[in-house]
Amino acid sequence: MPQPRAWQRMLSGRRLDLLDPTPVDIEIEDIAHGLAFVARWNGQTHGDYPYSVAEHSLLVEQIFTRQNRAAPARWQLAALLHDAPEYVIGDMISPVKAAVGPEYGELDARLSAAIHIRFGLPAQIPATVKRQIKRADKVSAWLEATQIAGFSEREATRFFGRPAPAHIEGLDIHLRPPKVVREDFTARHAELLEATG
């Protein structure tokens, strides 16, 4: 019996093997495009556009930088790319990930390692940095929950914790067309990549 196809053709023309991804088959334009069309919260958000993983990633990087002012550009880049594998495997809400089991996490880890290597980061991000990115991710989730996903502040705080006011001051979520988000994601990636030198 033939093996099922495990690669996906990207708009760049690359063929990304999902089971054995290599850095040479990863392009930022593919990531930005894919993430700009993947909806967070299973699409259950207010507004005329879906709230994309690309928009979320930009917000997480911004919060991470606020929380870790001395962080080098390489860890800001890691924050921007923290959900990058979702450009091909999609975004699953936490309850679905739990139901799917460890295979999702293993696939995510393989893709993350290839993406990190492609852009000059270590395959495995240091645990301390991963925890800092996760803290920023939770702040982002609280903002998203209360501003566009219909949660009360009390409910969001129960699930994600209440952020420090300084970490969310002036951060308002405005849903934008995928093309605009894709361009902003690509531009921010280029800035951070150049800063990592």
Side-chain angles (χ1 to χ4, degrees):
M1 207 168 161
Q3 287 287 92
R5 179 171 65 90
W7 57 265
Q8 179 176 346
R9 183 181 173 83
M10 299 292 139
L11 289 178
S12 64
R14 299 283 191 189
R15 285 187 178 189
L16 181 65
D17 185 331
L18 301 181
L19 300 180
D20 187 21
T22 61
V24 296
D25 290 324
I26 292 167
E27 300 292 346
I28 194 59
E29 292 80 11
D30 293 332
I31 293 173
H33 183 82
L35 294 183
F37 284 92
V38 174
R40 294 250 312 153
W41 301 92
N42 276 351
Q44 298 301 302
T45 53
H46 298 288
D48 294 328
Y49 298 102
Y51 182 70
S52 72
V53 175
E55 193 81 82
H56 162 77
S57 298
L58 287 162
L59 181 59
V60 168
E61 188 268 319
Q62 188 177 8
I63 294 165
F64 171 83
T65 301
R66 279 187 180 192
Q67 292 178 325
N68 305 280
R69 298 218 179 259
R74 67 190 316 217
W75 301 143
Q76 291 173 269
L77 180 60
L80 181 70
L81 296 172
H82 79 284
D83 279 338
E86 294 178 8
Y87 85 110
V88 288
I89 59 176
D91 179 45
M92 286 192 206
I93 59 173
S94 295
V96 175
K97 286 180 186 174
V100 169
E103 290 82 6
Y104 179 89
E106 292 164 10
L107 181 58
D108 184 275
R110 283 194 299 272
L111 285 162
S112 289
I115 290 165
H116 292 158
I117 292 167
R118 170 67 175 89
F119 299 115
L121 298 171
Q124 304 298 324
I125 302 300
T128 53
V129 176
K130 282 185 85 167
R131 283 193 296 271
Q132 291 167 340
I133 293 170
K134 189 63 184 169
R135 279 196 293 272
D137 198 22
K138 283 192 155 195
V139 172
S140 175
W142 188 91
L143 282 170
E144 295 163 19
T146 58
Q147 291 187 19
I148 59 171
F151 285 58
S152 68
E153 287 193 8
R154 182 177 177 169
E155 185 180 21
T157 299
R158 190 171 80 231
F159 289 114
F160 309 114
R162 179 173 285 281
H167 296 158
I168 59 172
E169 184 179 354
L171 295 179
D172 295 317
I173 296 173
H174 301 284
L175 302 183
R176 304 179 298 160
K179 177 181 185 295
V180 174
V181 180
R182 180 181 66 216
E183 290 168 354
D184 282 358
F185 185 95
T186 306
R188 183 60 180 153
H189 177 269
E191 290 171 4
L192 292 171
L193 200 58
E194 185 176 350
T196 63

